[in-house]
């Protein structure tokens, strides 16, 4: 698959309903190569559902999702999932598989097993020691597991990296370190990245572009700078107010 001239990812009038509930409503959006996008919103606003339409964990009720110009609905699934790295909301490692088996699972399912050297390389990318490869997930800390999750998502040499609240369950220091690691990997591998988070501070600090979701819709699409300058509307500004108030309070305390 080659990069097309258009956006890496495009949602065209995407809707997903569960009975009367529109989990995702009328989302139209294009994401360009190299963007690091944060998708922010309250719990239940539709972030996970929207993300999952990309790798077909969720089939839209209406509309089209295009990845590198091709409708994902008609793309062969193993190849699609190889090109679209996905870090799950809950840690999502297979508990009965070792670290190296977890990392290698997606390429293996696509019929392209990973070499042991490549597993070592992936461990190094996420700053895990080589001897971790034979551990089982329950022998790792939360941060180490999430690093394995990122290594697994990178294993297929994806063009697009989707992360669903990847660091939500981690302590702030680990979370910060992993966020910066992912940002560096994004740059190094020319990835396009979408990171779901409910934390506006994390979004403002890491992303080039922030999408705000509410009730299944995208209600703001702004740069962090523009959000900090007051753009994006009421819901976005309500979310920006939280880290801003914290930052101001800390600044006052340190004077
Ligand atoms: P978020 O990730 O922003 O917390 P979700 O995308 O998980 O939100 O969910 C959006 C809405 O869709 C919620 O109201 C949720 O309860 C509902 N929902 C998600 N998945 C399902 C499902 N499989 N069946 C029924 N309702 C669902
Ligand atoms: Mg979610």
């Amino acid at each position: 698959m080659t990069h097309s001239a258009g956006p890496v990812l495009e949602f065209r009038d995407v809707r997903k309903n569960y009975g009367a509930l529109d989990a995702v409503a009328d989302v139209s959006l294009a994401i360009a190569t190299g963007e690091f996008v944060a998708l922010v919103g309250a719990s239940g606003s539709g972030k996970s559902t929207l993300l999952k339409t990309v790798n077909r964990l969720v089939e839209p009720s209406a509309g089209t999702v295009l990845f590198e110009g091709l409708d994902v609905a008609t793309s062969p699934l193993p190849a699609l999932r190889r090109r679209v790295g996905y870090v799950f909301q809950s840690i999502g490692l297979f508990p009965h598989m070792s670290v190296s088996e977890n990392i290698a699972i997606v390429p293996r399912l696509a019929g392209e097993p990973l070499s042991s050297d490549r597993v070592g390389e992936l461990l190094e990318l996420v700053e895990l020691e080589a001897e971790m490869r034979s551990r089982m997930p329950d022998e790792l800390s939360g941060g180490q597991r999430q690093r394995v999750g990122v290594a697994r998502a990178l294993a297929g040499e994806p063009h697009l990296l989707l992360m669903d609240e990847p660091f939500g369950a981690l302590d702030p220091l680990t979370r910060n370190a992993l966020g910066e690691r992912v940002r560096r990997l994004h740059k190094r591998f020319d990835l396009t990245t979408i990171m779901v988070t409910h934390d506006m501070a994390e979004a403002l600090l890491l992303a080039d572009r922030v999408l705000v979701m509410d009730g299944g819709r995208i209600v703001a699409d702004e740069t962090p700078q523009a959000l900090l300058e007051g753009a994006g509307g009421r819901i976005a500004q309500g979310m920006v107010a939280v880290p801003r108030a914290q930052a101001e309070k800390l600044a006052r305390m340190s004077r």
Side-chain angles (χ1 to χ4, degrees), residues 122-199:
L122 287 160
L123 286 171
E124 208 176 302
L125 286 177
V126 295
E127 300 172 303
L128 285 175
E129 283 154 35
E131 57 265 29
M132 293 272 180
R133 67 168 67 218
S134 53
R135 293 241 193 125
M136 300 304 283
D138 68 1
E139 299 168 325
L140 302 174
S141 72
Q144 289 168 335
R145 274 184 230 159
Q146 222 33 333
R147 286 177 194 271
V148 175
V150 174
R152 178 174 62 186
L154 294 174
E157 297 175 42
H159 297 168
L160 179 64
L161 180 60
L162 305 177
M163 296 188 292
D164 196 347
E165 301 200 25
F167 315 132
L170 304 177
D171 68 85
L173 282 180
T174 305
R175 185 177 181 143
N176 197 45
L178 260 174
E180 286 181 1
R181 187 74 201 166
V182 163
R183 185 73 228 210
R184 283 201 297 278
L185 292 170
H186 163 88
K187 191 158 190 270
R188 170 156 168 199
F189 295 110
D190 296 320
L191 293 171
T192 303
T193 300
I194 307 178
M195 185 181 72
V196 170
T197 173
H198 54 250
D199 183 345

Side-chain angles (χ1 to χ4, degrees), residues 18 21 23-24 41-50 89 164-165 196:
Y18 294 106
L21 172 81
V24 169
S43 184
S45 57
K47 308 180 298 293
S48 295
T49 304
L50 182 63
Q89 177 163 13
D164 196 347
E165 301 200 25
V196 170

